[in-house]
């Protein structure tokens, strides 16, 4: 342990460590970070680290507990936050700018849970944790103010989750994100002696952009709730096949889903990390995702923007190729309490509808372009249709939809 200012945890054991280096590559501070006794605990994994505008550090990862209740209190928590429910739990920990442990908390339930990434909202210094869970609410996973598009239920064997903490450690929002199949962050093989074991992906799959919008990337099977207002030609609402597709999704600051698209081929594709970026001369928000695609997956979506852009649209060899994808969004994601049109300016009828849905609008909007979308109650996009509103009424055929409850948005 290197302890220049009283901030290091003086532990003599531990799998996890945190190190800080100067711009001149000198070690400034380091500490081990681990449950307080090695017996009874298995492998523990740090996965990501981020700093806020005041120089505080935030670390996330997973603590692997056995079934002994006495082991729950051996992780160095602080700030009066919850201890673990039995099982593998994610954790979030804050170190002050003096590198003292300020607070830490588990997040999870009785099934395996894992924090894969952390990002800081530059406007509020709120902490966004991102990961994978197999725990339902009934099994102890905390869901709080989850945002539009999430019914608070685990779908399939695992879902991704987002959790927002105040800088003091108070849980503000949390939600599931996924479909009926498995969604996950990537795994990779680690080595210990002659043994091989699976370790979780240390890449950061979450970023925060303008206005507190949250962007994530990961891997998913069929059934992801895809959506894209005014969808571009390249938008991919459907699963492409193989073991998994990569995806990119964007949320408002209240965790309401605004955008989601698959990015995949007929082979296995995975999304590993994402970063928010500003583009010179382009006012639209943009992100860059990096991931991988399986051998000979020559139908992964590729595009070349400028003549001098580095570009390769065919598989290069080996079991996987890396992929880099930049996406521009139509706009920032608005929260659900900020309607785009005044109340009463749009009417969708009849309700219930049998074969045709009619939508009409105020005369003020005649001559404008618009998009009608219909989702099921799980958030999966079923119909998207663009219109040039030359009159104040139009319709869409819905007779192919089975009997059920749907959400129509104009």
């Amino acid at each position: 342990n290197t302890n220049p200012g009283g901030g290091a945890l003086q532990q003599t054991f531990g799998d996890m460590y945190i190190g800080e280096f100067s711009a001149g590559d000198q070690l400034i501070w380091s500490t081990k970070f681990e449950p307080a006794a090695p017996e009874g605990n298995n492998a523990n994994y740090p996965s990501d680290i981020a700093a806020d505008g005041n120089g505080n550090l935030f670390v996330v990862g997973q603590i692997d507990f056995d079934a002994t209740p006495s082991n729950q209190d051996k992780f160095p928590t602080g700030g009066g936050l919850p201890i673990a429910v039995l099982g593998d739990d994610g954790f979030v920990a804050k170190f002050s700018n003096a590198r003292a442990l300020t607070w830490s908390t588990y997040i999870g339930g009785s099934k395996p849970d894992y924090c894969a990434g952390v990002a800081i909202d530059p406007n509020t210094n709120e902490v966004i944790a991102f990961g994978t869970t197999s725990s339902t609410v009934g099994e102890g996973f905390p869901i709080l103010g989850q945002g539009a598009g999430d019914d608070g239920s685990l779908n399939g064997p695992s879902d991704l989750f987002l959790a927002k903490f105040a800088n003091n450690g108070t849980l503000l929002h949390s939600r599931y994100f996924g479909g009926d199949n498995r969604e996950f962050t990537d795994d990779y093989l680690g080595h210990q002696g002659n043994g091989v074991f699976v370790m979780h992906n240390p890449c950061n799959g979450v970023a925060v952009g303008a206005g507190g919008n949250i962007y994530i990337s990961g891997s998913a099977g069929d059934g992801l709730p895809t959506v894209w207002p005014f969808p571009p030609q390249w938008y991919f609402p459907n699963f492409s096949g193989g073991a998994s597709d990569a995806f990119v999704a964007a949320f408002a600051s209240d965790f309401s889903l605004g955008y989601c698209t698959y990015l995949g081929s007929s082979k296995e594709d995975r999304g590993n990390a994402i970063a928010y970026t500003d583009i010179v001369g382009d006012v639209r928000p943009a992100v860059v995702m990096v991931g991988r695609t399986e051998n000979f997956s020559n139908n992964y979506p590729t595009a070349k923007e400028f003549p001098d852009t580095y570009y390769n649209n065919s598989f290069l060899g080996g079991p996987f190729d890396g992929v880099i994808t930049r996406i521009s969004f139509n706009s920032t994601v608005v929260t659900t309490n900020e309607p785009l049109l005044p109340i009463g300016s749009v009417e969708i009828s009849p309700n219930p509808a049998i074969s045709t849905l009619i939508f009409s609008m105020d005369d003020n909007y005649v001559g404008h372009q618009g998009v009608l979308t219909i989702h099921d109650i799980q958030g999966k996009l079923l119909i998207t249709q663009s219109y040039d509103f030359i009159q104040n009424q139009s319709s869409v055929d819905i007779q192919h939809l089975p009997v059920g409850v749907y959400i129509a948005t104009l």
Side-chain angles (χ1 to χ4, degrees):
N1 295 315
T2 300
N3 182 10
L9 299 175
Q10 297 297 326
Q11 297 178 214
T12 59
F13 47 81
D15 298 328
M16 297 188 291
Y17 67 88
I18 307 164
E20 181 178 8
F21 295 80
S22 70
D25 297 335
Q26 298 300 308
L27 180 63
I28 300 172
W29 167 78
S30 64
T31 184
K32 295 172 183 176
F33 190 57
E34 189 71 4
E39 63 273 10
N41 294 105
N42 299 312
N44 306 292
Y45 307 105
S47 61
D48 198 21
I49 188 168
D52 67 13
N54 297 317
N56 302 303
L57 297 181
F58 297 86
V59 182
V60 298
Q62 183 189 50
I63 298 297
D64 187 4
F65 281 97
D66 66 10
T68 306
S70 63
N71 289 322
Q72 293 185 22
D73 58 1
K74 294 180 179 179
F75 186 72
T77 58
L81 294 163
I83 64 171
V85 179
L86 284 177
D88 301 341
D89 275 358
F91 73 86
V92 183
K94 176 184 177 180
F95 291 82
S96 71
N97 53 18
R99 300 302 176 253
L101 178 63
T102 304
W103 57 263
S104 60
T105 182
Y106 302 103
I107 182 166
S110 58
K111 297 289 182 64
D113 314 286
Y114 178 68
C115 282
V118 63
I120 310 300
D121 187 326
N123 302 305
T124 63
N125 277 338
E126 292 170 334
V127 183
I128 311 299
F130 169 63
T132 304
T133 180
S134 298
S135 300
T136 65
V137 173
E139 291 166 333
F141 193 86
I143 292 294
L144 177 66
Q146 62 263 34
D150 180 27
D151 62 2
S153 299
L154 183 76
N155 296 302
S158 68
D159 274 353
L160 300 173
F161 72 83
L162 281 169
K164 177 185 288 189
F165 295 87
N167 206 270
N168 66 3
T170 301
L171 180 63
L172 303 176
H173 295 294
S174 59
R175 67 162 292 161
Y176 293 115
F177 178 69
D180 295 334
N181 291 293
R182 181 173 174 247
E183 291 81 30
F184 55 97
T185 54
D186 207 2
D187 298 326
Y188 68 97
L189 294 180
H191 299 271
Q192 187 175 43
N194 295 323
V196 178
F197 57 94
V198 173
M199 296 181 68
H200 295 286
N201 177 14
C203 294
N204 181 358
V206 60
V208 181
N213 288 173
I214 300 158
Y215 304 91
I216 65 171
S217 180
S219 308
D222 194 14
L224 204 63
T226 52
V227 60
W228 202 281
F230 303 97
Q233 186 176 3
W234 61 263
Y235 168 56
F236 304 103
N238 300 315
F239 181 62
S240 299
S244 64
D245 276 1
F247 73 88
V248 169
F251 301 82
S253 59
D254 70 348
F255 284 8
S256 299
L257 177 63
Y259 297 85
C260 180
T261 182
Y262 283 108
L263 289 167
S265 68
S266 55
K267 298 281 189 174
E268 178 182 340
D269 311 283
R270 297 195 177 189
N272 294 108
I274 196 167
Y276 178 82
T277 179
D278 291 317
I279 301 170
V280 175
D282 192 339
V283 298
R284 297 172 299 174
V287 295
V288 176
M289 185 213 77
V290 296
R292 70 185 193 183
T293 185
E294 195 179 2
N295 58 344
F296 303 110
S297 59
N298 287 322
N299 56 342
Y300 183 89
T302 60
K304 184 176 183 180
E305 186 173 13
F306 303 110
D308 295 332
T309 301
Y310 174 82
Y311 178 67
N312 194 304
N313 63 352
S314 60
F315 193 77
L316 300 176
F320 289 93
D321 272 359
V323 294
I324 305 173
T325 302
R326 180 169 68 83
I327 294 176
S328 293
F329 296 86
N330 303 339
S331 63
T332 57
V333 185
V334 297
T335 57
T336 54
N337 60 0
E338 296 178 300
L340 294 178
L341 297 177
I343 295 174
S345 62
V346 174
E347 181 178 304
I348 301 175
S349 62
N351 186 14
I354 298 175
S355 60
T356 302
L357 198 62
I358 299 171
F359 49 97
S360 56
M361 67 188 63
D362 190 282
D363 290 340
N364 292 329
Y365 300 101
V366 174
H368 292 258
Q369 292 183 326
V371 174
L372 176 79
T373 60
I374 297 179
H375 296 75
D376 65 19
I377 59 174
Q378 301 298 324
K380 184 176 181 180
L381 179 65
L382 303 175
I383 295 175
T384 179
Q385 194 163 326
S386 300
Y387 295 89
D388 291 316
F389 292 113
I390 58 176
Q391 54 186 9
N392 63 359
Q393 190 175 90
S394 192
S395 64
V396 62
D397 181 11
I398 59 168
Q399 59 184 343
H400 63 286
L401 296 178
V403 174
V405 179
Y406 300 90
I407 302 169
T409 305
L410 184 61

